[in-house]
Amino acid sequence: MQEMTPPRIPDRILTWLVAPHLREEVLGDRHERFFRQVEQVGEARARRRYWRDMLAYLRPTFIRRKPSEFPQPTNTDMLQNYFKVAFRNLVKNRVYSFINIFGLASGMSVAMLIGLWVYDELSYDKHNKNYDRIGMLWQFVSFEPEKSSYDVLPIPLAAELRNKYPDFESVSLSVFRKAILGSGDQTFARTGNYVEPDFADIFTINLLAGSRFGADDINAILLSKSVADAIFGSADPINKLLKLDNKQSARVVGVYEDFPSNSAFRDVLFLAPWKLFSAIDDGAKRDRNEWDSNSYQVYVQLKPGADFGAVSAKIKDIRMKRDNPPRYKPEFFLHPMSKWHLYRDFKDGVNTGGIIIYVWLFGAIGIIVLLLACINFMNLSTARSEKRAKEVGIRKAIGSVRGQLIYQFFSESLLMALLAFGLAFVFVQLALPFFNQVSEKKLAILWANPWFWLAGLGFSLFTGLIAGSYPALYLSSFQPVKVLKGTLRANRFATIPRKVLVAFQFTVSVTLMIGTIIVFRQIEHAKNRSVGYNRSGLIEISMNTPELYGRYRTLRDDLRATGAVEEMSESSGSVTVQYGGTTDFTWKGKEPNTSPLVMSNFVTHDYGKTVGWQLKEGRDFSREFSTDSSAIILNEAAVKLMGFQKPIGETVRRSGRDYTVVGVIRDMIKEDPFKPVNPSFFALSYRDVNVINIKLSPQVPVSDALSKVEQVFRTYSPAAPFDYKFVDEEYAQKFGAEERIGKIAGVFASLAVLISCLGLFGLASFMAEQRTKEIGIRKVLGASVFTIWGLLSREFVVLLAIAFCLGAPLAYYVLSDWLQNYQYRTELSWWIFAAAGVGALVITLLTVSFQSIKAALMNPVKSLRSE
């Protein structure tokens, strides 16, 4: 017959609730009353009354502890004792201490690196004093079939905003250009902005010498410190003269501190007056009063109290209210500086985010990696609980109360967290050069920032408390009688939390592994896409000096005569960049009231042979046909847009002039390689060109070929630097953001797996140690090394299988959503998930096998000797 006992749950509640000095008396009275009521009214009613009577003890009289039951470790000797015992335990268990400290330090270092990266991203452009009131003009344009967004505007818009809209405190036109800065025999190719005087009012420019230029200054220039030092060295640059593009002289009126690396203007190395640009640039002269020539930036600063949304609504239809509104229906709006960097993506007139998604992603990864390190600590501490059980029992037997034990275990946890924090600084300092190279940033530990130290120490304290909370509360709850009698045994559910945490680690590792593979697959998928031309040996040279214009035939003949050049041509822009297009394009069968954008490309003869484009139909431009001045070549996307079945010979009309289609080329990727190619046309022009394209001979070493090409250019423009770009390198930069994200994700995924393996190694080591006698008995009874290895590895393999079943669907969901950002994307093949699963299995077995095989090879005599 089963022995009758009081209800377990209310009994446990009373044990936890009632003060220790009253606990024995209260429980004894309640148990005696319970047994008496069983005899009087029956067991069922007695149990109900027990629940009811329990509520009577929810009073301060029974709950209030004596002061002695809450020993506060304010005494210096007590604190010293806590940390002395903690240090001894660390030294005594060197392997587990190393795993815990190294694991926590790795997690903290990852969190620090990610924190520095996130801080840098979130602080973009915040050095500007008027950060909250600065904006940039953008426009939505309706090109079929959706709205597109552009940050280029017409020149007259700036004056319109300045003169007719009182919400603006300052307005400035700006254009980014590369210029040749010459001083004496020295020339330097540098990038900078031509701006209006209000630019210096809008943005914070730290002048180191001289002064800013005024509204009447034309031939003036501001240099960044790095450029001033490169050109003038230690000499004073103020009032020195520079030659810009061998066209115009400019006087240095000031030197400013280089813009920070996390600034939208980090590549702006000089500032020159807009009036100077208008004087030397033919395009600016032509576009001065042209409302439909969108090639320039407009920056503004709102007056205090003005709202970006409200002002955007006022200026939205400025162009459509003027004469001859264009078919593409431009809608102007303000894009606040706070969103320039992180929220730059638009789709069909709606802001869809941007880099902010990666800020949240890596922030989450940093927290997860730190959590993995904390899980390792908690798992190893609870797994070794039986090793500390007797210590807890003896301490309680000689008078320690639970509060003191909790302080002791928390002191061990905090000591370990502080040691890990110090080691994490070493890791971060060593890793920063590599991390900066991968992320293309200039991050540094913020040694002089008190908030950084406050956050770091608070972070360590929080980590120590979280990591040590479960061990402290769990170990301190052991009952001394059971511990000292040797009857303390973990119940069958005791290992469930540990298994859940290990499964969580595996899930995170598997998810990150799959994610990393997919990111690199997406990059390779786009890289392997046919670009429609031959990048090998192709270089570009900007026509920055007037001596290069109008010399096409002689320059081409001179270059080819060197034997180092196969072909040369000129074009309106780079092979890897699409600069603009037109909606003034009609053809037979075009739907009325539609204005699709067709990208414009003006080239000289021999362009096709130079870049190696792939003719699909028809012919290339040829000097043999005098009518080619009215000829046009379309790409596949344009033919598809126009619906031509037989495009050769068709007539299209552009800007009031008829052109005959003579050829069709395969789509050339000039823009985003992850998106479809836009409809484009190519037409002959020797006037609207500013880039020289050169195909180097593969028979000549590249260095020798470049030297010969430079000699030819020196004969035309002796003072200009020979500034060239390899097209394949320029094209590779289109994958820069994705490759950086992939590399960073790969590094953090590897560290997450490493931290998980450290915890796995520690648990496997403890498991082998805990089951030493069992393994010895099994070996005596004939078990093989393989059998014992399987016995010790099986539990981890099962946990990995569960984690894979959780991680694979999670990765599929997240990555499917991420891939939707790319119109040209890879597939989520089953083998990727299988490869990640097999990889995780191999890593797990390698990690566990060392301890498993070591335990299996141990002499059973040693393990059974004490028996």
Side-chain angles (χ1 to χ4, degrees), residues 626-640:
S626 59
T627 56
D628 272 6
S629 59
S630 297
I632 201 168
I633 292 178
L634 304 177
N635 69 351
E636 293 174 300
V639 172
K640 182 178 179 181

Side-chain angles (χ1 to χ4, degrees), residues 612-849:
W613 66 16
Q614 300 168 15
L615 272 172
K616 186 179 179 183
E617 296 182 52
R619 62 175 177 83
D620 201 344
F621 295 119
S622 174
R623 294 183 179 85
E624 296 179 1
F625 296 90
S626 59
T627 56
D628 272 6
S629 59
S630 297
I632 201 168
I633 292 178
L634 304 177
N635 69 351
E636 293 174 300
V639 172
K640 182 178 179 181
L641 170 70
M642 298 171 191
F644 292 150
Q645 297 299 318
K646 295 181 179 181
I648 305 303
E650 291 282 357
T651 299
V652 296
R653 189 172 182 82
R654 183 185 70 83
S655 301
R657 181 181 174 186
D658 289 338
Y659 290 83
T660 302
V661 179
V662 299
V664 176
I665 61 168
R666 297 196 181 276
D667 289 336
M668 292 175 59
I669 300 177
K670 294 170 69 72
E671 298 175 275
D672 192 334
F674 298 100
K675 295 180 179 179
V677 176
N678 286 318
S680 305
F681 75 84
F682 294 80
L684 283 175
S685 175
Y686 285 82
R687 185 187 65 178
D688 300 317
V689 292
N690 52 37
V691 173
I692 298 173
N693 310 285
I694 297 175
K695 178 71 172 181
L696 300 179
S697 172
Q699 310 302 323
V700 181
V702 174
S703 58
D704 294 343
L706 291 174
S707 177
K708 292 180 179 181
V709 171
E710 182 178 7
Q711 290 175 14
V712 172
F713 273 86
R714 291 294 183 198
T715 62
Y716 287 85
S717 183
F722 181 56
D723 189 28
Y724 61 89
K725 296 177 181 178
F726 281 97
V727 170
D728 56 352
E729 293 179 355
E730 292 298 301
Y731 184 78
Q733 291 181 11
K734 293 178 180 293
F735 303 92
E738 283 74 16
E739 286 188 327
R740 283 194 298 274
I741 296 301
K743 289 177 181 177
I744 295 172
V747 169
F748 292 146
S750 301
L751 289 173
V753 172
L754 173 63
I755 292 171
S756 298
C757 287
L758 281 175
L760 199 62
F761 180 83
L763 284 176
S765 175
F766 171 74
M767 182 182 291
E769 179 184 338
Q770 189 182 38
R771 302 176 71 174
T772 299
K773 290 184 174 61
E774 176 191 344
I775 294 170
I777 294 172
R778 288 180 178 274
K779 289 195 69 175
V780 169
L781 295 177
S784 65
V785 173
F786 181 78
T787 303
I788 295 173
W789 172 79
L791 176 71
L792 296 176
S793 304
R794 186 182 302 120
E795 180 178 334
F796 296 105
V797 173
V798 171
L799 290 176
L800 175 61
I802 295 172
F804 180 79
C805 292
L806 296 173
L810 176 63
Y812 182 86
Y813 173 78
V814 173
L815 293 168
S816 295
D817 187 59
W818 176 71
L819 286 173
Q820 294 305 312
N821 296 320
Y822 303 97
Q823 291 173 287
Y824 188 80
R825 52 183 177 266
T826 188
E827 295 181 357
L828 291 173
S829 304
W830 65 268
W831 68 263
I832 296 174
F833 295 86
V838 171
L841 178 62
V842 171
I843 293 172
T844 300
L845 290 178
L846 288 176
T847 304
V848 173
S849 293

Side-chain angles (χ1 to χ4, degrees), residues 126-164:
K126 285 191 175 179
H127 66 282
N128 291 286
K129 295 179 181 177
N130 302 313
Y131 172 80
D132 295 328
R133 294 192 286 132
I134 297 174
M136 182 180 185
L137 265 292
W138 280 56
Q139 62 175 321
F140 293 127
V141 291
S142 298
F143 297 136
E144 302 296 335
E146 63 180 26
K147 284 185 179 180
S148 299
S149 56
Y150 296 94
D151 61 354
V152 287
L153 287 304
I155 292 177
L157 178 61
E160 184 86 358
L161 298 178
R162 189 182 295 116
N163 298 329
K164 296 184 178 180

Side-chain angles (χ1 to χ4, degrees), residues 112-373:
M112 282 186 193
L113 286 172
I114 292 179
L116 290 173
W117 185 85
V118 169
Y119 175 80
D120 185 79
E121 292 291 325
L122 295 178
S123 59
Y124 245 77
D125 292 312
K126 285 191 175 179
H127 66 282
N128 291 286
K129 295 179 181 177
N130 302 313
Y131 172 80
D132 295 328
R133 294 192 286 132
I134 297 174
M136 182 180 185
L137 265 292
W138 280 56
Q139 62 175 321
F140 293 127
V141 291
S142 298
F143 297 136
E144 302 296 335
E146 63 180 26
K147 284 185 179 180
S148 299
S149 56
Y150 296 94
D151 61 354
V152 287
L153 287 304
I155 292 177
L157 178 61
E160 184 86 358
L161 298 178
R162 189 182 295 116
N163 298 329
K164 296 184 178 180
Y165 293 87
D167 297 295
F168 297 102
E169 185 172 298
S170 302
V171 179
S172 173
L173 278 165
S174 176
V175 66
F176 183 74
R177 286 290 186 270
K178 190 171 190 177
I180 296 175
L181 307 179
S183 175
D185 296 334
Q186 292 183 311
T187 55
F188 301 85
R190 294 293 186 268
T191 52
N193 275 29
Y194 293 91
V195 299
E196 292 184 300
D198 278 0
F199 186 89
D201 295 325
I202 298 171
F203 301 100
T204 300
I205 300 173
N206 184 18
L207 278 175
L208 303 176
S211 61
R212 50 188 281 190
F213 49 76
D216 297 327
D217 290 328
I218 298 179
N219 299 320
I221 191 171
L222 291 172
L223 299 180
S224 68
K225 187 178 186 305
S226 60
V227 171
D229 291 344
I231 297 176
F232 300 106
S234 58
D236 184 7
I238 304 301
N239 293 321
K240 295 287 196 308
L241 290 179
L242 288 178
K243 199 81 168 177
L244 269 70
D245 293 335
N246 287 336
K247 295 180 181 179
Q248 191 83 19
S249 294
R251 181 172 57 89
V252 179
V253 297
V255 176
Y256 63 90
E257 184 180 0
D258 288 65
F259 287 102
S261 59
N262 60 345
S263 167
F265 302 102
R266 61 185 178 277
D267 296 326
V268 175
L269 301 176
F270 70 85
L271 292 169
W274 179 264
K275 288 184 177 180
L276 175 61
F277 179 71
S278 298
I280 63 177
D281 188 83
D282 293 336
K285 295 175 184 177
R286 183 178 63 247
D287 297 337
R288 184 172 301 167
N289 299 309
E290 179 57 60
W291 274 90
D292 294 323
S293 181
N294 299 295
S295 302
Y296 313 94
Q297 284 75 46
V298 178
Y299 298 105
V300 301
Q301 178 180 317
L302 298 182
K303 289 183 177 178
D307 178 72
F308 282 99
V311 177
S312 293
K314 294 178 183 179
I315 66 174
K316 175 182 175 182
D317 296 320
I318 287 179
R319 178 64 187 95
M320 296 303 294
K321 292 177 180 178
R322 299 185 64 84
D323 296 336
N324 301 316
R327 292 181 179 178
Y328 57 84
K329 302 175 183 176
E331 300 175 11
F332 301 133
F333 69 96
L334 291 174
H335 195 45
M337 177 176 267
S338 59
K339 295 185 177 182
W340 287 4
H341 181 64
L342 299 177
Y343 298 88
R344 195 176 176 83
D345 294 346
F346 293 87
K347 184 175 178 61
D348 202 18
V350 178
N351 190 302
T352 57
I355 298 178
I356 187 64
I357 187 175
Y358 297 113
V359 173
W360 288 113
L361 173 64
F362 286 126
I365 289 177
I367 294 172
I368 289 172
V369 171
L370 180 60
L371 184 59
L372 294 182

